[in-house]
Amino acid sequence: QSVLTQPPSVSAAPGQKVTISCSGTSTNIENNYVSWYQQVPGTAPKLLIYDDNQRPSGIPDRFSGSKSGTSATLAITGLQTGDEADYYCGSWDSSLSVVFGGGTKLTVL
Amino acid sequence: QVQLVQSGAEVKKPGASVRISCTASGFTFRKYEMHWVRQAPGQRLEWMGWINAGYGNTKYSQKFQDRVTITRDTSASTAYMDLSSLRSEDTAVYYCARRADWGLYYFDYWGQGTLVTVPS
């Protein structure tokens, strides 16, 4: 069963912008929606982005998602120290299973 | 408000089985699909399977196909995940998560997680 590929870590200074990539295949990302989850260590994941680029209510517009082909990207602008967390992308697969990325640790310097 | 409340932490011997429950409230349980996702210490999220709480049909990850069983009790609004033949590599936090709705492809609510420890 395939998994999605994310960079292990990214970092940037407060106020800056960071992007996190998520690479998949034609059986998942290219033909299914991508969602993004934020996980503070020791807590459950929290939905951040759904349907490639939609934000649930309560998620600030500093968070945005995009997708092209077999890759998706999460962008965070105006970085805050409170954004430090692990970020996971997820997608359904053509076999009705679910795949997640390996997670990206965001450090706000 | 929607809540998913999971059972407490477990310590199991290698070869044993574990059952984790996930009790839902604040929504009509049988109208949703409930998933199980686990996370080993310092590792990524790993999808295990789902159950349609209304019909009871299931889908499992190939990795866990032979060892996992997901069931539900609609009268108790509770989903269960049984994992058998436990080994040390199964030490992880196990989460239940609700698929947002039929035709939607994301998890909008998660349980608080249940730590299962299998000493080596």
Side-chain angles (χ1 to χ4, degrees):
Chain A
Q1 196 158 18
S2 63
V3 298
L4 308 178
T5 302
Q6 298 180 233
S9 64
V10 295
S11 62
Q16 297 300 303
K17 174 183 177 179
V18 70
T19 60
I20 299 172
S21 62
C22 174
S23 177
T25 69
S26 59
T27 64
N28 41 63
I29 288 181
E30 187 169 37
N31 290 291
N32 291 282
Y33 284 120
V34 175
S35 51
W36 290 89
Y37 303 88
Q38 178 191 60
Q39 186 181 35
V40 175
T43 69
K46 170 187 173 182
L47 179 65
L48 206 59
I49 296 287
Y50 68 94
D51 289 358
D52 300 339
N53 54 22
Q54 301 299 303
R55 285 186 309 277
S57 60
I59 301 299
D61 58 7
R62 300 187 298 106
F63 295 89
S64 63
S66 62
K67 188 178 81 174
S68 178
T70 59
S71 293
T73 301
L74 173 70
I76 310 172
T77 59
L79 273 176
Q80 302 175 1
T81 55
D83 296 333
E84 284 204 337
D86 296 320
Y87 292 83
Y88 291 89
C89 58
S91 177
W92 257 247
D93 192 88
S94 57
S95 60
L96 298 182
S97 57
V98 178
V99 289
F100 288 103
T104 299
K105 179 179 179 61
L106 169 62
T107 301
V108 181
L109 302 170
Chain B
Q1 72 282 21
V2 172
Q3 280 193 307
L4 299 175
V5 178
Q6 299 183 218
S7 49
E10 303 263 13
V11 179
K12 294 291 183 180
K13 294 182 179 180
S17 297
V18 68
R19 163 171 282 200
I20 303 171
S21 66
C22 171
T23 300
S25 61
F27 66 97
T28 304
F29 177 72
R30 57 183 164 76
K31 290 187 176 180
Y32 288 85
E33 199 173 272
M34 300 302 296
H35 293 241
W36 288 89
V37 177
R38 80 175 188 180
Q39 187 172 39
Q43 301 301 309
R44 66 180 181 91
L45 301 173
E46 187 172 31
W47 178 77
M48 300 181 71
W50 57 255
I51 186 165
N52 180 305
Y55 294 107
N57 55 307
T58 56
K59 170 75 174 180
Y60 302 129
S61 164
Q62 285 185 340
K63 176 175 178 176
F64 302 104
Q65 178 82 35
D66 296 334
R67 297 196 296 136
V68 69
T69 304
I70 300 174
T71 57
R72 94 289 189 218
D73 179 347
T74 54
S75 66
S77 297
T78 300
Y80 301 94
M81 191 283 295
D82 294 297
L83 188 62
S84 62
S85 303
L86 290 169
R87 36 208 187 231
S88 58
E89 308 91 88
D90 294 317
T91 293
V93 176
Y94 291 76
Y95 294 101
C96 62
R98 187 184 85 164
R99 180 180 178 180
D101 204 345
W102 183 251
L104 300 180
Y105 299 93
Y106 57 94
F107 303 120
D108 57 353
Y109 288 94
W110 296 68
Q112 84 276 18
T114 297
L115 175 62
V116 175
T117 303
V118 186
S120 55

